[in-house]
Amino acid sequence: MMRRWTFAQRVSAGLSACLFAGLLLLATLLSAVYAQASMPPGHGALPQAVLAGLLGLACVAALGFVLHRALAPLHARHQSSEQHLQLLMDGVTDYALCFLDRHGRVTAWNAGAERLTGWSEVELAGRDADRIYPVDEVAAGVPRAHRERAAREGRLLAEGWRVRRDGSRFWAETLLTALYDAHGRLRGFVKVTRDITERRRMERAQALFAEAGRVLQPLSGAREVGEALTRLCVPEVADACILFLPSEDGTVRPHAVACEDIAATHRMWEPLLRCPEDGEVGPSRVVRTGRSELLPELDLARLPPALEGSAHGELLCALGVTSALTVPLAVGSRVLGALCLLSTGTHRRFGEVDRAFMEELAARAALALDNARLLAQAQDALELIGIAAHDLGNPLSSLQLRLRRLSMQSAGTSDTRLREGLAGAEGETRRLGRLVHNLLDLSRLSAGRMVLDTEPLDLAHLVREVVERHRDQASAAGCALSIRAEEGATGQWDRQRLDRVVTNLLSNALKFGRGHPVELRVQADPHCVRFAIRDGGIGMGVEAQQRLFHRFQRLHAGGQHPGTGLGLYIVRQLVEAHGGTIHVQSRTGEGSEFTIELPRRTNKASCSVNEAQV
């Protein structure tokens, strides 16, 4: 199809028409003269014909002169504008700049468009620009819809996949602007396109890193982490993803698999179930060396010699892989596994940027896997502690009863050393009993097996019982105990767990408030019951208060105040399991006051403590 005439071409055509009309008049005049000359004398009107012809020729010449004088500056300015536009289009190489007519056919195509898409202006001039869109989008009418929207709104900014001449894809940002004439009629469009594949890759990387932190962080099992990691990579990063982990016998085996094509998943398992040998290429080598492996382009008809006959090569052929990337999951110098990413189409080729990106993601996933391993080991250790604490409970109770019986029998004797020894032994067994109960509670809390056995309970009565059991310990510590309890401090609570709460707080007050009075208060209102215990001991600073209720936190190290750092942690967990709160007010050298608020009826939802809460 012929391209539109430019303004300069139209002016030249007008001047050429005037010149042609003048030539016709001149030819007519000469013809009339010749005809008159061939006639006999006295026939015709030569002077009148010549005069009319000269007059017409003069008019045409005058018209041509006026047109030339009037339109020559416009012609020159228009020619200059076209030259500037052409220079601009040729000078812009980072952007694809093209002009379209109102039907979407190419009328101008710059060097940047040729560099970006691989199509030359000669190949696309007068043809539809839709061929740079993916086939499915063209079938869906996306290019036409973009032009219609740009015609309505004046301009349209869009992003999407575009196709180069060689079939490869790139992510493009396109600005489509409609062009109108002086009468408001649509003349065509100007399209500016740039390749933002790398920018989108970085945005996807940031989003994927954030998603990986959100998905992988709360998981507690290696299998859960592996399955979440492979699902995270498909289809965002790869068409298929396989996580390989070393087994107990040292061989590297598949641990988790994700594939965009469900049918391809079934084809994967036969080569996957074969043991990946430790060859020159493959996940076994990546695990062994700790170095990533990149196969940017694969021709399955001519596999590299290292892949021929191998299980990894069979896997690549079974899936029709065109590009592959395997990165190690390493924590420090330890390699925990390998993540294999596979591409089965022409739209994705892994490169060095993908290698760096996936190595960073694999490092974060390796931390999640290592944390899951450590958590599993910690849970096994806590379960062992719980079993040991449970087994120690019965002989410890028997020992406490025997010591109590001996203490009662020695009360009437005059052997002071015997009575003091029995009292000391009884105090140590009580401390050992608190430690055993704390370890048992810690094991249950960490395993999520803490379930409250609630019953109607008078908190004031419970506090008095605990105080009576600690009278001897308070006397030995030089602490005077006082109780102020209001009536009606009842609620639906777990007696055994609240007994442990009051016991731990009272023991803590006697240990750090040695030589000072200890005051216990119980207050009640229609909605909750408050229990407070205050000592006048060494107290603590603000920084210590912030970590006071954390696990294994000891604020006063050394042998003067022995402990495990579990008592207040267990107290907080048990109080929160009842739906209550605990807080402390303290200053260094002025003692401490712990206050607990308990709702009168424990919420059923809070009767079990799960692992996430711990």
Side-chain angles (χ1 to χ4, degrees):
M1 179 180 177
M2 294 184 58
R3 299 172 59 184
R4 284 183 181 274
W5 281 14
T6 63
F7 178 77
Q9 291 172 331
R10 293 177 181 179
V11 171
S12 299
L15 293 175
S16 300
C18 291
L19 180 60
F20 182 69
L23 291 176
L24 284 178
L25 287 174
L26 181 60
T28 302
L29 179 62
L30 293 176
S31 176
V33 171
Y34 177 76
Q36 184 64 32
S38 60
M39 289 184 179
H43 295 79
L46 179 61
Q48 292 86 352
V50 171
L51 182 61
L54 290 176
L55 184 60
L57 186 61
C59 290
V60 171
L63 178 60
F65 178 75
V66 170
L67 285 175
H68 181 270
R69 291 295 301 271
L71 297 179
L74 295 178
H75 181 199
R77 189 160 58 246
H78 228 66
Q79 194 171 28
S80 176
S81 298
E82 288 185 352
Q83 291 176 352
H84 290 164
L85 179 60
Q86 190 63 40
L87 290 174
L88 176 63
M89 292 183 63
D90 293 340
V92 176
T93 58
D94 294 334
Y95 292 83
L97 180 62
C98 66
F99 287 86
L100 311 175
D101 63 14
R102 58 193 181 93
H103 300 293
R105 291 183 288 263
V106 176
T107 59
W109 189 261
N110 77 331
E114 183 174 350
R115 181 191 62 82
L116 182 61
T117 65
W119 297 95
S120 66
E121 184 176 10
V122 175
E123 292 173 311
L124 286 185
R127 299 177 180 271
D128 288 336
D130 297 355
R131 63 180 57 194
I132 67 172
Y133 286 82
V135 177
D136 54 345
E137 292 192 6
V138 175
V142 173
R144 182 177 65 256
H146 284 180
R147 291 194 299 271
E148 292 174 354
R149 182 175 174 184
R152 291 194 308 270
E153 301 177 4
R155 59 187 301 175
L156 173 66
L157 183 64
E159 292 184 9
W161 288 111
R162 299 294 182 267
V163 182
R164 295 186 176 93
R165 193 176 189 275
D166 59 2
S168 62
R169 293 189 177 193
F170 65 98
W171 190 262
E173 180 185 68
T174 302
L175 177 62
L176 186 64
T177 305
L179 301 177
Y180 300 94
D181 59 16
H183 301 286
R185 292 189 296 265
L186 180 66
R187 292 179 50 199
F189 305 89
V190 58
K191 178 186 288 189
V192 181
T193 305
R194 63 170 177 162
D195 185 356
I196 59 170
T197 306
E198 291 303 319
R199 189 188 79 179
R200 184 173 183 265
R201 189 194 302 270
M202 293 301 103
E203 292 175 351
R204 287 168 51 211
Q206 294 175 359
L208 194 58
F209 285 153
E211 182 69 9
R214 185 187 67 83
V215 171
L216 299 179
Q217 187 66 29
L219 300 180
S220 57
R223 179 162 296 279
E224 293 177 345
V225 172
E227 292 176 353
L229 177 61
T230 53
R231 287 196 304 267
L232 196 67
C233 295
V234 176
E236 186 66 23
V237 181
D239 299 320
C241 181
I242 310 168
L243 175 64
F244 293 91
L245 296 180
S247 57
E248 294 181 357
D249 59 0
T251 58
V252 178
R253 296 186 177 277
H255 182 77
V257 176
C259 189
E260 187 176 14
D261 184 5
I262 299 178
T265 306
H266 302 290
R267 299 196 305 270
M268 295 171 64
W269 280 110
E270 183 177 354
L272 275 177
L273 291 177
R274 293 175 51 191
C275 176
E277 66 280 0
D278 191 5
E280 298 181 8
V281 180
S284 297
R285 180 177 180 275
V286 172
V287 173
R288 176 172 53 84
T289 62
R291 293 193 297 269
S292 59
E293 183 179 277
L294 174 63
L295 301 174
E297 291 192 14
L298 280 174
D299 185 0
L300 299 180
R302 294 191 301 271
L303 284 177
L307 287 174
E308 290 184 356
S310 66
H312 190 58
E314 182 182 345
L315 172 66
L316 300 181
C317 292
L319 291 178
V321 174
T322 57
S323 183
L325 172 64
T326 307
V327 293
L329 276 70
V331 178
S333 59
R334 294 185 299 112
V335 180
L336 306 182
L339 188 66
C340 184
L341 305 170
L342 306 174
S343 174
T344 58
T346 60
H347 63 285
R348 181 184 285 122
R349 292 287 188 274
F350 297 118
E352 293 299 330
V353 175
D354 299 284
R355 185 206 293 261
F357 161 61
M358 288 309 304
E359 285 178 349
E360 176 64 23
L361 181 62
R364 301 190 183 194
L367 286 176
L369 276 174
D370 199 40
N371 290 338
R373 178 185 62 83
L374 294 175
L375 181 59
Q377 293 178 354
Q379 288 176 340
D380 292 341
L382 287 170
E383 185 175 355
L384 178 61
I385 289 173
I387 294 173
H390 183 271
D391 292 343
L392 285 173
N394 292 332
L396 182 60
S397 298
S398 178
L399 178 61
Q400 287 174 340
L401 290 174
R402 290 176 182 271
L403 288 174
R404 172 61 64 181
R405 188 178 302 116
L406 289 174
S407 297
M408 294 174 62
Q409 292 176 357
S410 64
T413 64
S414 59
D415 192 344
T416 307
R417 293 178 59 187
L418 178 60
R419 292 197 305 270
E420 290 178 352
L422 290 173
E426 191 175 0
E428 290 300 321
T429 56
R430 283 197 300 267
R431 193 167 73 87
L432 181 59
R434 289 195 300 272
L435 175 60
V436 168
H437 287 307
N438 285 340
L439 291 176
L440 187 58
D441 284 340
L442 175 65
S443 174
R444 290 171 177 171
L445 286 167
S446 299
R449 295 195 298 265
M450 176 67 75
V451 179
L452 301 182
D453 184 13
T454 60
E455 60 180 278
L457 179 65
D458 188 335
L459 185 59
H461 181 69
L462 177 64
V463 170
R464 291 189 182 96
E465 287 183 0
V466 175
V467 168
E468 287 301 320
R469 291 202 306 265
H470 290 76
R471 287 290 182 185
D472 295 340
Q473 183 182 353
S475 298
C479 298
L481 298 178
S482 62
I483 303 176
R484 290 190 301 168
E486 297 180 358
E487 297 297 329
T490 59
Q492 197 78 12
W493 302 307
D494 187 319
R495 180 185 184 86
Q496 181 182 2
R497 270 46 184 270
L498 284 190
D499 186 299
R500 199 152 308 147
V501 168
V502 178
T503 298
N504 280 343
L505 289 177
L506 181 55
S507 300
N508 194 70
L510 295 177
K511 180 169 63 174
F512 294 104
R514 180 176 295 273
H516 297 84
V518 174
E519 180 185 4
L520 299 91
R521 300 191 309 274
V522 179
Q523 299 173 325
D525 64 30
H527 303 289
C528 67
V529 176
R530 294 179 183 85
F531 166 69
I533 180 169
R534 177 175 179 79
D535 66 78
I538 58 178
M540 69 193 80
V542 176
E543 187 274 335
Q545 296 176 36
Q546 294 176 351
R547 56 188 179 92
L548 180 64
F549 297 103
H550 293 176
R551 185 163 34 184
F552 304 120
Q553 290 293 324
R554 294 184 59 195
L555 305 184
H556 305 284
Q560 186 177 1
H561 303 287
T564 60
L566 283 175
L568 292 177
Y569 168 77
I570 297 297
V571 166
R572 188 191 70 173
Q573 295 299 320
L574 295 179
V575 169
E576 291 181 352
H578 283 82
T581 59
I582 180 171
H583 60 273
V584 61
Q585 291 182 344
S586 180
R587 287 187 180 181
T588 304
E590 298 182 8
S592 304
E593 180 176 354
F594 290 85
T595 303
I596 293 174
E597 292 187 359
L598 295 172
R600 288 184 177 270
R601 182 172 294 274
T602 301
N603 220 343
K604 288 187 178 181
S606 64
C607 285
S608 66
V609 182
N610 54 38
E611 185 179 348
Q613 181 180 356
V614 179

